[in-house]
Amino acid sequence: MSKVKKAIIPAAGLGTRFLPATKTVPKEMLTIVDAPIIFYVVEEAVKAGIEDIVLIAGRGKHSIEDFFDTSYELEDRLAKEGKSHLLDRLAHIRSMANIISIRQKQALGLGHAVLSGLPVVGKEPFAVLLGDEITMGFRGEPNVTAQLVSSFNETETSTIAIMEVLEKDVSKYGIADVEEVKPGFFKVNSLIEKPKPHQTKSRWALPGRYVFDSEIMNLLKNATPSLNGEIQLTDSMKVLCESRGLNAMTFKANRYDAGD
Ligand code: UTP
């Protein structure tokens, strides 16, 4: 049985890159086909066997919580009009997972957002899925989070997804310096957040899917903010590499971020 039953979805960032679109609509609520990005992220977690989802939301993000909640007036109208297919769809979204919402009172960085989930995850291992990126597993294949969960269950070591990017794009991501252990599976030696291309030779970027054991929470609790005042997740992951160890794996799936 999988040990990873909880996931944290940080969705409290300010979304400055997509202004003005994200001034009133959180970027996690931008729509793809007929559902917001966050729906596909929650769906990925659920398909990976996650039961409890900790949504880290911030000011102006209540529409994300509302999306997974009951809308009595709307549902009553759909029932009266006999629109059962729509009613069923809304009921499915609501019952997909146990959604626990935690407010990050200030956008103090991704590390701080993950740490805000501590009261729910406690000492259990957990997945992190960034709320502004979606990955689509190939038909019939496990999705990225499911691939990470399988690896964690086998190795009992925190595992992150990595993907190769072009040199010009390294400054957009956390970048991992890795050592290949077997095809597609790596040991992480170090990490650097959004480096300039000359600061790293590595082209292995972090696309925003992770599975951690509880040690990362201990490291985040003691982390010092970086120069911009944010608690960076990559800083604590760097310490994790030197203590308990950190694995990385490539994945078979398409990945898009909100900007795409
Ligand atoms: P980003 O750095 O991409 O999000 O964080 P941002 O801060 O919203 O983006 P820009 O640069 O201003 O456009 C990745 C994920 O982490 C969340 C974001 O909501 C996003 O899903 N996040 C980031 C938090 O939850 N809290 C934070 O303090 C920072």
PDB file of all heavy atoms in Angstrom, residues 85-116:
ATOM      1  N   HIS A  85     -26.286  15.718 -16.067  1.00  0.00           N
ATOM      2  CA  HIS A  85     -24.876  15.502 -16.449  1.00  0.00           C
ATOM      3  C   HIS A  85     -23.982  16.574 -15.828  1.00  0.00           C
ATOM      4  O   HIS A  85     -22.890  16.288 -15.348  1.00  0.00           O
ATOM      5  CB  HIS A  85     -24.710  15.452 -17.970  1.00  0.00           C
ATOM      6  CG  HIS A  85     -25.110  16.710 -18.673  1.00  0.00           C
ATOM      7  ND1 HIS A  85     -26.420  17.137 -18.735  1.00  0.00           N
ATOM      8  CD2 HIS A  85     -24.366  17.651 -19.309  1.00  0.00           C
ATOM      9  CE1 HIS A  85     -26.475  18.285 -19.398  1.00  0.00           C
ATOM     10  NE2 HIS A  85     -25.232  18.626 -19.756  1.00  0.00           N
ATOM     11  N   LEU A  86     -24.501  17.847 -15.782  1.00  0.00           N
ATOM     12  CA  LEU A  86     -23.710  18.936 -15.190  1.00  0.00           C
ATOM     13  C   LEU A  86     -23.647  18.784 -13.669  1.00  0.00           C
ATOM     14  O   LEU A  86     -22.602  18.969 -13.048  1.00  0.00           O
ATOM     15  CB  LEU A  86     -24.326  20.290 -15.547  1.00  0.00           C
ATOM     16  CG  LEU A  86     -24.043  20.771 -16.961  1.00  0.00           C
ATOM     17  CD1 LEU A  86     -24.836  22.049 -17.241  1.00  0.00           C
ATOM     18  CD2 LEU A  86     -22.553  21.046 -17.164  1.00  0.00           C
ATOM     19  N   LEU A  87     -24.759  18.390 -13.112  1.00  0.00           N
ATOM     20  CA  LEU A  87     -24.846  18.182 -11.669  1.00  0.00           C
ATOM     21  C   LEU A  87     -23.850  17.087 -11.242  1.00  0.00           C
ATOM     22  O   LEU A  87     -23.115  17.235 -10.262  1.00  0.00           O
ATOM     23  CB  LEU A  87     -26.281  17.757 -11.332  1.00  0.00           C
ATOM     24  CG  LEU A  87     -26.821  18.062  -9.959  1.00  0.00           C
ATOM     25  CD1 LEU A  87     -26.653  19.532  -9.617  1.00  0.00           C
ATOM     26  CD2 LEU A  87     -28.309  17.705  -9.910  1.00  0.00           C
ATOM     27  N   ASP A  88     -23.814  16.012 -12.027  1.00  0.00           N
ATOM     28  CA  ASP A  88     -22.900  14.906 -11.715  1.00  0.00           C
ATOM     29  C   ASP A  88     -21.456  15.365 -11.806  1.00  0.00           C
ATOM     30  O   ASP A  88     -20.610  14.975 -11.003  1.00  0.00           O
ATOM     31  CB  ASP A  88     -23.094  13.744 -12.704  1.00  0.00           C
ATOM     32  CG  ASP A  88     -24.439  13.069 -12.506  1.00  0.00           C
ATOM     33  OD1 ASP A  88     -25.100  13.371 -11.485  1.00  0.00           O
ATOM     34  OD2 ASP A  88     -24.839  12.271 -13.376  1.00  0.00           O
ATOM     35  N   ARG A  89     -21.175  16.202 -12.801  1.00  0.00           N
ATOM     36  CA  ARG A  89     -19.803  16.679 -12.982  1.00  0.00           C
ATOM     37  C   ARG A  89     -19.382  17.506 -11.759  1.00  0.00           C
ATOM     38  O   ARG A  89     -18.291  17.344 -11.231  1.00  0.00           O
ATOM     39  CB  ARG A  89     -19.745  17.520 -14.273  1.00  0.00           C
ATOM     40  CG  ARG A  89     -18.376  18.005 -14.649  1.00  0.00           C
ATOM     41  CD  ARG A  89     -17.863  17.401 -15.943  1.00  0.00           C
ATOM     42  NE  ARG A  89     -16.417  17.587 -16.026  1.00  0.00           N
ATOM     43  CZ  ARG A  89     -15.837  18.569 -16.687  1.00  0.00           C
ATOM     44  NH1 ARG A  89     -16.548  19.442 -17.357  1.00  0.00           N
ATOM     45  NH2 ARG A  89     -14.517  18.663 -16.693  1.00  0.00           N
ATOM     46  N   LEU A  90     -20.278  18.401 -11.303  1.00  0.00           N
ATOM     47  CA  LEU A  90     -19.959  19.239 -10.138  1.00  0.00           C
ATOM     48  C   LEU A  90     -19.793  18.373  -8.882  1.00  0.00           C
ATOM     49  O   LEU A  90     -18.897  18.594  -8.074  1.00  0.00           O
ATOM     50  CB  LEU A  90     -21.029  20.313  -9.918  1.00  0.00           C
ATOM     51  CG  LEU A  90     -21.191  21.350 -11.024  1.00  0.00           C
ATOM     52  CD1 LEU A  90     -22.169  22.436 -10.600  1.00  0.00           C
ATOM     53  CD2 LEU A  90     -19.863  22.011 -11.399  1.00  0.00           C
ATOM     54  N   ALA A  91     -20.655  17.363  -8.763  1.00  0.00           N
ATOM     55  CA  ALA A  91     -20.566  16.479  -7.591  1.00  0.00           C
ATOM     56  C   ALA A  91     -19.254  15.715  -7.616  1.00  0.00           C
ATOM     57  O   ALA A  91     -18.598  15.529  -6.577  1.00  0.00           O
ATOM     58  CB  ALA A  91     -21.744  15.509  -7.585  1.00  0.00           C
ATOM     59  N   HIS A  92     -18.830  15.311  -8.815  1.00  0.00           N
ATOM     60  CA  HIS A  92     -17.558  14.582  -8.943  1.00  0.00           C
ATOM     61  C   HIS A  92     -16.397  15.460  -8.494  1.00  0.00           C
ATOM     62  O   HIS A  92     -15.530  15.026  -7.746  1.00  0.00           O
ATOM     63  CB  HIS A  92     -17.370  14.133 -10.397  1.00  0.00           C
ATOM     64  CG  HIS A  92     -15.969  13.721 -10.715  1.00  0.00           C
ATOM     65  ND1 HIS A  92     -15.408  12.568 -10.192  1.00  0.00           N
ATOM     66  CD2 HIS A  92     -14.994  14.315 -11.452  1.00  0.00           C
ATOM     67  CE1 HIS A  92     -14.154  12.474 -10.616  1.00  0.00           C
ATOM     68  NE2 HIS A  92     -13.867  13.522 -11.378  1.00  0.00           N
ATOM     69  N   ILE A  93     -16.388  16.720  -8.938  1.00  0.00           N
ATOM     70  CA  ILE A  93     -15.302  17.646  -8.581  1.00  0.00           C
ATOM     71  C   ILE A  93     -15.246  17.818  -7.060  1.00  0.00           C
ATOM     72  O   ILE A  93     -14.191  17.761  -6.448  1.00  0.00           O
ATOM     73  CB  ILE A  93     -15.485  19.009  -9.295  1.00  0.00           C
ATOM     74  CG1 ILE A  93     -15.252  18.827 -10.796  1.00  0.00           C
ATOM     75  CG2 ILE A  93     -14.553  20.079  -8.711  1.00  0.00           C
ATOM     76  CD1 ILE A  93     -15.642  20.003 -11.658  1.00  0.00           C
ATOM     77  N   ARG A  94     -16.435  17.966  -6.447  1.00  0.00           N
ATOM     78  CA  ARG A  94     -16.509  18.190  -5.011  1.00  0.00           C
ATOM     79  C   ARG A  94     -16.023  16.987  -4.218  1.00  0.00           C
ATOM     80  O   ARG A  94     -15.419  17.129  -3.159  1.00  0.00           O
ATOM     81  CB  ARG A  94     -17.966  18.476  -4.661  1.00  0.00           C
ATOM     82  CG  ARG A  94     -18.140  19.224  -3.400  1.00  0.00           C
ATOM     83  CD  ARG A  94     -19.573  19.617  -3.171  1.00  0.00           C
ATOM     84  NE  ARG A  94     -20.513  18.530  -3.384  1.00  0.00           N
ATOM     85  CZ  ARG A  94     -21.571  18.609  -4.166  1.00  0.00           C
ATOM     86  NH1 ARG A  94     -21.824  19.694  -4.835  1.00  0.00           N
ATOM     87  NH2 ARG A  94     -22.393  17.599  -4.297  1.00  0.00           N
ATOM     88  N   SER A  95     -16.292  15.787  -4.742  1.00  0.00           N
ATOM     89  CA  SER A  95     -15.968  14.602  -3.939  1.00  0.00           C
ATOM     90  C   SER A  95     -14.640  13.955  -4.351  1.00  0.00           C
ATOM     91  O   SER A  95     -14.294  12.884  -3.874  1.00  0.00           O
ATOM     92  CB  SER A  95     -17.098  13.586  -4.061  1.00  0.00           C
ATOM     93  OG  SER A  95     -17.252  13.271  -5.430  1.00  0.00           O
ATOM     94  N   MET A  96     -13.905  14.619  -5.265  1.00  0.00           N
ATOM     95  CA  MET A  96     -12.648  14.046  -5.756  1.00  0.00           C
ATOM     96  C   MET A  96     -11.679  13.701  -4.642  1.00  0.00           C
ATOM     97  O   MET A  96     -11.001  12.692  -4.657  1.00  0.00           O
ATOM     98  CB  MET A  96     -11.961  15.076  -6.669  1.00  0.00           C
ATOM     99  CG  MET A  96     -12.167  14.812  -8.125  1.00  0.00           C
ATOM    100  SD  MET A  96     -11.754  16.252  -9.114  1.00  0.00           S
ATOM    101  CE  MET A  96     -10.054  16.332  -9.135  1.00  0.00           C
ATOM    102  N   ALA A  97     -11.575  14.599  -3.669  1.00  0.00           N
ATOM    103  CA  ALA A  97     -10.613  14.400  -2.583  1.00  0.00           C
ATOM    104  C   ALA A  97     -11.066  15.213  -1.397  1.00  0.00           C
ATOM    105  O   ALA A  97     -11.946  16.066  -1.510  1.00  0.00           O
ATOM    106  CB  ALA A  97      -9.231  14.857  -3.034  1.00  0.00           C
ATOM    107  N   ASN A  98     -10.431  14.957  -0.274  1.00  0.00           N
ATOM    108  CA  ASN A  98     -10.681  15.749   0.916  1.00  0.00           C
ATOM    109  C   ASN A  98      -9.794  16.998   0.805  1.00  0.00           C
ATOM    110  O   ASN A  98      -8.576  16.891   0.873  1.00  0.00           O
ATOM    111  CB  ASN A  98     -10.295  14.877   2.116  1.00  0.00           C
ATOM    112  CG  ASN A  98     -10.589  15.543   3.407  1.00  0.00           C
ATOM    113  OD1 ASN A  98     -11.440  16.438   3.472  1.00  0.00           O
ATOM    114  ND2 ASN A  98      -9.876  15.137   4.438  1.00  0.00           N
ATOM    115  N   ILE A  99     -10.393  18.149   0.552  1.00  0.00           N
ATOM    116  CA  ILE A  99      -9.600  19.364   0.342  1.00  0.00           C
ATOM    117  C   ILE A  99      -9.540  20.160   1.646  1.00  0.00           C
ATOM    118  O   ILE A  99     -10.573  20.518   2.210  1.00  0.00           O
ATOM    119  CB  ILE A  99     -10.190  20.257  -0.765  1.00  0.00           C
ATOM    120  CG1 ILE A  99     -10.442  19.446  -2.029  1.00  0.00           C
ATOM    121  CG2 ILE A  99      -9.337  21.505  -0.989  1.00  0.00           C
ATOM    122  CD1 ILE A  99      -9.501  19.595  -3.152  1.00  0.00           C
ATOM    123  N   ILE A 100      -8.334  20.406   2.107  1.00  0.00           N
ATOM    124  CA  ILE A 100      -8.144  21.167   3.345  1.00  0.00           C
ATOM    125  C   ILE A 100      -7.443  22.461   2.963  1.00  0.00           C
ATOM    126  O   ILE A 100      -6.363  22.439   2.364  1.00  0.00           O
ATOM    127  CB  ILE A 100      -7.261  20.365   4.325  1.00  0.00           C
ATOM    128  CG1 ILE A 100      -7.921  19.010   4.603  1.00  0.00           C
ATOM    129  CG2 ILE A 100      -7.021  21.144   5.623  1.00  0.00           C
ATOM    130  CD1 ILE A 100      -6.963  17.897   4.776  1.00  0.00           C
ATOM    131  N   SER A 101      -8.079  23.560   3.292  1.00  0.00           N
ATOM    132  CA  SER A 101      -7.514  24.825   2.848  1.00  0.00           C
ATOM    133  C   SER A 101      -6.753  25.518   3.981  1.00  0.00           C
ATOM    134  O   SER A 101      -7.253  25.621   5.091  1.00  0.00           O
ATOM    135  CB  SER A 101      -8.668  25.687   2.354  1.00  0.00           C
ATOM    136  OG  SER A 101      -8.178  26.905   1.921  1.00  0.00           O
ATOM    137  N   ILE A 102      -5.540  25.939   3.682  1.00  0.00           N
ATOM    138  CA  ILE A 102      -4.728  26.667   4.664  1.00  0.00           C
ATOM    139  C   ILE A 102      -4.340  27.996   4.035  1.00  0.00           C
ATOM    140  O   ILE A 102      -3.969  28.054   2.860  1.00  0.00           O
ATOM    141  CB  ILE A 102      -3.470  25.853   5.056  1.00  0.00           C
ATOM    142  CG1 ILE A 102      -3.899  24.624   5.878  1.00  0.00           C
ATOM    143  CG2 ILE A 102      -2.472  26.707   5.842  1.00  0.00           C
ATOM    144  CD1 ILE A 102      -2.789  23.851   6.493  1.00  0.00           C
ATOM    145  N   ARG A 103      -4.425  29.022   4.815  1.00  0.00           N
ATOM    146  CA  ARG A 103      -4.136  30.355   4.297  1.00  0.00           C
ATOM    147  C   ARG A 103      -2.669  30.700   4.549  1.00  0.00           C
ATOM    148  O   ARG A 103      -2.203  30.624   5.683  1.00  0.00           O
ATOM    149  CB  ARG A 103      -5.042  31.324   5.048  1.00  0.00           C
ATOM    150  CG  ARG A 103      -4.944  32.711   4.592  1.00  0.00           C
ATOM    151  CD  ARG A 103      -6.149  33.046   3.759  1.00  0.00           C
ATOM    152  NE  ARG A 103      -6.177  34.485   3.571  1.00  0.00           N
ATOM    153  CZ  ARG A 103      -7.182  35.135   3.060  1.00  0.00           C
ATOM    154  NH1 ARG A 103      -8.248  34.503   2.674  1.00  0.00           N
ATOM    155  NH2 ARG A 103      -7.129  36.430   2.902  1.00  0.00           N
ATOM    156  N   GLN A 104      -1.951  31.066   3.485  1.00  0.00           N
ATOM    157  CA  GLN A 104      -0.595  31.604   3.656  1.00  0.00           C
ATOM    158  C   GLN A 104      -0.781  33.120   3.726  1.00  0.00           C
ATOM    159  O   GLN A 104      -1.148  33.741   2.731  1.00  0.00           O
ATOM    160  CB  GLN A 104       0.298  31.215   2.475  1.00  0.00           C
ATOM    161  CG  GLN A 104       1.755  31.577   2.690  1.00  0.00           C
ATOM    162  CD  GLN A 104       2.596  31.442   1.421  1.00  0.00           C
ATOM    163  OE1 GLN A 104       2.068  31.354   0.314  1.00  0.00           O
ATOM    164  NE2 GLN A 104       3.898  31.454   1.590  1.00  0.00           N
ATOM    165  N   LYS A 105      -0.564  33.672   4.911  1.00  0.00           N
ATOM    166  CA  LYS A 105      -0.975  35.070   5.105  1.00  0.00           C
ATOM    167  C   LYS A 105      -0.130  36.063   4.330  1.00  0.00           C
ATOM    168  O   LYS A 105      -0.552  37.166   4.021  1.00  0.00           O
ATOM    169  CB  LYS A 105      -0.994  35.387   6.589  1.00  0.00           C
ATOM    170  CG  LYS A 105      -2.149  34.646   7.267  1.00  0.00           C
ATOM    171  CD  LYS A 105      -2.279  34.989   8.707  1.00  0.00           C
ATOM    172  CE  LYS A 105      -3.342  34.117   9.342  1.00  0.00           C
ATOM    173  NZ  LYS A 105      -2.924  33.530  10.581  1.00  0.00           N
ATOM    174  N   GLN A 106       1.105  35.681   4.025  1.00  0.00           N
ATOM    175  CA  GLN A 106       1.951  36.533   3.182  1.00  0.00           C
ATOM    176  C   GLN A 106       2.659  35.624   2.194  1.00  0.00           C
ATOM    177  O   GLN A 106       3.047  34.507   2.571  1.00  0.00           O
ATOM    178  CB  GLN A 106       3.038  37.174   4.051  1.00  0.00           C
ATOM    179  CG  GLN A 106       2.673  38.524   4.613  1.00  0.00           C
ATOM    180  CD  GLN A 106       3.844  39.035   5.433  1.00  0.00           C
ATOM    181  OE1 GLN A 106       4.179  38.452   6.458  1.00  0.00           O
ATOM    182  NE2 GLN A 106       4.472  40.098   4.975  1.00  0.00           N
ATOM    183  N   ALA A 107       2.853  36.082   0.952  1.00  0.00           N
ATOM    184  CA  ALA A 107       3.536  35.255  -0.041  1.00  0.00           C
ATOM    185  C   ALA A 107       5.039  35.301   0.240  1.00  0.00           C
ATOM    186  O   ALA A 107       5.779  36.080  -0.359  1.00  0.00           O
ATOM    187  CB  ALA A 107       3.207  35.742  -1.440  1.00  0.00           C
ATOM    188  N   LEU A 108       5.467  34.478   1.213  1.00  0.00           N
ATOM    189  CA  LEU A 108       6.878  34.501   1.627  1.00  0.00           C
ATOM    190  C   LEU A 108       7.705  33.418   0.956  1.00  0.00           C
ATOM    191  O   LEU A 108       8.734  33.005   1.486  1.00  0.00           O
ATOM    192  CB  LEU A 108       6.971  34.367   3.159  1.00  0.00           C
ATOM    193  CG  LEU A 108       6.457  35.575   3.958  1.00  0.00           C
ATOM    194  CD1 LEU A 108       6.561  35.324   5.449  1.00  0.00           C
ATOM    195  CD2 LEU A 108       7.242  36.836   3.580  1.00  0.00           C
ATOM    196  N   GLY A 109       7.233  32.946  -0.188  1.00  0.00           N
ATOM    197  CA  GLY A 109       8.015  31.998  -0.960  1.00  0.00           C
ATOM    198  C   GLY A 109       7.448  30.591  -0.924  1.00  0.00           C
ATOM    199  O   GLY A 109       6.630  30.241  -0.071  1.00  0.00           O
ATOM    200  N   LEU A 110       7.923  29.785  -1.894  1.00  0.00           N
ATOM    201  CA  LEU A 110       7.415  28.417  -2.039  1.00  0.00           C
ATOM    202  C   LEU A 110       7.731  27.568  -0.799  1.00  0.00           C
ATOM    203  O   LEU A 110       6.905  26.765  -0.357  1.00  0.00           O
ATOM    204  CB  LEU A 110       8.019  27.803  -3.315  1.00  0.00           C
ATOM    205  CG  LEU A 110       7.595  26.403  -3.660  1.00  0.00           C
ATOM    206  CD1 LEU A 110       6.085  26.285  -3.786  1.00  0.00           C
ATOM    207  CD2 LEU A 110       8.258  25.968  -4.969  1.00  0.00           C
ATOM    208  N   GLY A 111       8.943  27.754  -0.232  1.00  0.00           N
ATOM    209  CA  GLY A 111       9.312  26.991   0.969  1.00  0.00           C
ATOM    210  C   GLY A 111       8.358  27.297   2.108  1.00  0.00           C
ATOM    211  O   GLY A 111       7.875  26.387   2.806  1.00  0.00           O
ATOM    212  N   HIS A 112       8.021  28.557   2.267  1.00  0.00           N
ATOM    213  CA  HIS A 112       7.092  28.978   3.318  1.00  0.00           C
ATOM    214  C   HIS A 112       5.693  28.416   3.055  1.00  0.00           C
ATOM    215  O   HIS A 112       4.992  27.989   3.983  1.00  0.00           O
ATOM    216  CB  HIS A 112       7.073  30.512   3.377  1.00  0.00           C
ATOM    217  CG  HIS A 112       6.200  31.059   4.450  1.00  0.00           C
ATOM    218  ND1 HIS A 112       4.929  31.529   4.195  1.00  0.00           N
ATOM    219  CD2 HIS A 112       6.388  31.187   5.785  1.00  0.00           C
ATOM    220  CE1 HIS A 112       4.379  31.933   5.329  1.00  0.00           C
ATOM    221  NE2 HIS A 112       5.247  31.747   6.312  1.00  0.00           N
ATOM    222  N   ALA A 113       5.300  28.386   1.782  1.00  0.00           N
ATOM    223  CA  ALA A 113       3.974  27.834   1.427  1.00  0.00           C
ATOM    224  C   ALA A 113       3.914  26.351   1.803  1.00  0.00           C
ATOM    225  O   ALA A 113       2.931  25.888   2.382  1.00  0.00           O
ATOM    226  CB  ALA A 113       3.716  28.020  -0.069  1.00  0.00           C
ATOM    227  N   VAL A 114       4.973  25.606   1.485  1.00  0.00           N
ATOM    228  CA  VAL A 114       4.996  24.172   1.808  1.00  0.00           C
ATOM    229  C   VAL A 114       4.963  23.983   3.328  1.00  0.00           C
ATOM    230  O   VAL A 114       4.197  23.162   3.853  1.00  0.00           O
ATOM    231  CB  VAL A 114       6.243  23.487   1.176  1.00  0.00           C
ATOM    232  CG1 VAL A 114       6.404  22.054   1.687  1.00  0.00           C
ATOM    233  CG2 VAL A 114       6.127  23.497  -0.350  1.00  0.00           C
ATOM    234  N   LEU A 115       5.737  24.779   4.052  1.00  0.00           N
ATOM    235  CA  LEU A 115       5.770  24.685   5.517  1.00  0.00           C
ATOM    236  C   LEU A 115       4.396  24.979   6.124  1.00  0.00           C
ATOM    237  O   LEU A 115       4.043  24.408   7.160  1.00  0.00           O
ATOM    238  CB  LEU A 115       6.828  25.658   6.066  1.00  0.00           C
ATOM    239  CG  LEU A 115       7.058  25.650   7.575  1.00  0.00           C
ATOM    240  CD1 LEU A 115       7.507  24.271   8.067  1.00  0.00           C
ATOM    241  CD2 LEU A 115       8.103  26.709   7.969  1.00  0.00           C
ATOM    242  N   SER A 116       3.609  25.820   5.463  1.00  0.00           N
ATOM    243  CA  SER A 116       2.263  26.131   5.963  1.00  0.00           C
ATOM    244  C   SER A 116       1.384  24.881   6.012  1.00  0.00           C
ATOM    245  O   SER A 116       0.378  24.849   6.712  1.00  0.00           O
ATOM    246  CB  SER A 116       1.566  27.163   5.063  1.00  0.00           C
ATOM    247  OG  SER A 116       2.361  28.303   4.914  1.00  0.00           O
TER     248      SER A 116
END
